[in-house]
Amino acid sequence: MTRRRATLTIQTLFVLLVIGGAYSFAMFQGGMVSWTIFYFIVPFSLYALSIVVYPLKKTSVKREIQQPLLGIGESTIVKIRVERTNRFPLLYLTVTDPVNDGFASATQGGTSRLFVMGFQKEAVFQYELKGNQRGEHNFPPVQIEIADFLGWVKKSETIVAEGESTLLIFPETKSIQYVPIGSYHDKGTTRSPFSFIK
């Protein structure tokens, strides 16, 4: 059992314990106040349990890189598009594109966004990335997370994005001024032979 699944199991047991505790309190205590507390807790608890069974793995993630070939110090725009398969109401959706290898850095807004989804099926955001280290670099999978109203249950998933996932960064170049090599003779200046220039 992975750590993520173990955490989700503990959160589920906590929600069930809250429901059971509220029901027991209402049964033994009686009265309008205790039953009001129980009926107030039930909708939030049921929504938290629905987050547990929500098919987050079926979410589609696409990545678009405006300019996949960069020089060191140059920037490009990366667009992340998240599409759900249903319109189940979500309080929020956190999307993170973890660029953690140091080959590039986000220059505007960071690589993570928080969306208040509701019934929306699609979320789109973009950020600017600046190349720092030369070479061919692969983006890691995108991380998405959802949660209930009270934060009792948080469910996350790592999804490999469709589309472009490689960024090629060229070494830094500098322009130089070319001066032809010459040799001097008694009668003036003439160009040196090709072998000498080489």
Side-chain angles (χ1 to χ4, degrees), residues 9 12 50 57 66 91 106 110 122 126 143 153 157 161 177 184:
T9 302
T12 305
S50 66
K57 287 184 178 180
Q66 188 179 62
L91 175 62
E122 185 180 78
Q126 64 182 27
Q143 299 174 359
V153 176
E157 195 66 47
Q177 184 178 1
Y184 297 89

Side-chain angles (χ1 to χ4, degrees), residues 117-141:
M117 293 296 294
F119 295 95
Q120 298 178 15
K121 293 183 65 175
E122 185 180 78
V124 181
F125 80 96
Q126 64 182 27
Y127 61 91
E128 187 176 4
L129 205 61
K130 182 179 180 181
N132 294 334
Q133 181 180 352
R134 68 180 184 178
E136 184 178 3
H137 306 282
N138 296 318
F139 284 80

Side-chain angles (χ1 to χ4, degrees), residues 1-14:
M1 180 180 292
T2 62
R3 181 179 179 182
R4 184 181 300 173
R5 183 174 297 181
T7 302
L8 190 61
T9 302
I10 293 173
Q11 293 173 346
T12 305
L13 293 176
F14 172 77

Side-chain angles (χ1 to χ4, degrees), residues 10-196:
I10 293 173
Q11 293 173 346
T12 305
L13 293 176
F14 172 77
V15 174
L16 294 175
L17 183 63
V18 169
I19 297 176
Y23 179 75
S24 300
F25 177 75
M27 285 293 293
F28 290 105
Q29 183 72 20
M32 181 179 177
V33 175
S34 57
W35 283 106
T36 301
I37 294 174
F38 172 73
Y39 288 121
F40 177 78
I41 290 177
V42 166
F44 294 99
S45 301
L46 293 179
Y47 182 80
L49 293 177
S50 66
I51 292 295
V52 174
V53 298
Y54 181 82
L56 196 59
K57 287 184 178 180
K58 295 183 179 180
T59 305
S60 173
V61 179
K62 297 180 181 178
R63 181 190 292 110
E64 299 175 10
I65 305 176
Q66 188 179 62
Q67 186 179 350
L69 303 177
L70 292 179
I72 292 181
E74 295 180 352
S75 300
T76 186
I77 300 296
V78 180
K79 180 183 290 186
I80 302 295
R81 184 184 304 273
V82 179
E83 296 180 358
R84 301 196 292 148
T85 57
N86 55 60
R87 292 190 180 274
F88 179 82
L90 293 178
L91 175 62
Y92 75 83
L93 173 71
T94 303
V95 184
T96 305
D97 194 12
V99 185
N100 52 9
D101 291 336
F103 66 88
S105 58
T107 58
Q108 292 183 359
T111 62
S112 181
R113 291 290 188 281
L114 175 66
F115 298 95
V116 179
M117 293 296 294
F119 295 95
Q120 298 178 15
K121 293 183 65 175
E122 185 180 78
V124 181
F125 80 96
Q126 64 182 27
Y127 61 91
E128 187 176 4
L129 205 61
K130 182 179 180 181
N132 294 334
Q133 181 180 352
R134 68 180 184 178
E136 184 178 3
H137 306 282
N138 296 318
F139 284 80
V142 175
Q143 299 174 359
I144 56 178
E145 182 182 84
I146 57 176
D148 66 310
F149 289 96
L150 301 178
W152 289 345
V153 176
K154 291 184 179 181
K155 189 174 185 179
S156 61
E157 195 66 47
T158 302
I159 300 177
V160 177
E162 302 175 8
E164 298 173 331
S165 61
T166 302
L167 187 65
L168 184 60
I169 303 178
F170 293 103
E172 184 179 5
T173 58
K174 295 182 179 180
S175 59
I176 60 173
Q177 184 178 1
Y178 172 70
V179 179
I181 301 176
S183 61
Y184 297 89
H185 301 279
D186 294 338
K187 297 182 179 179
T189 304
T190 182
R191 289 182 176 272
S192 297
F194 175 78
S195 60
F196 178 74

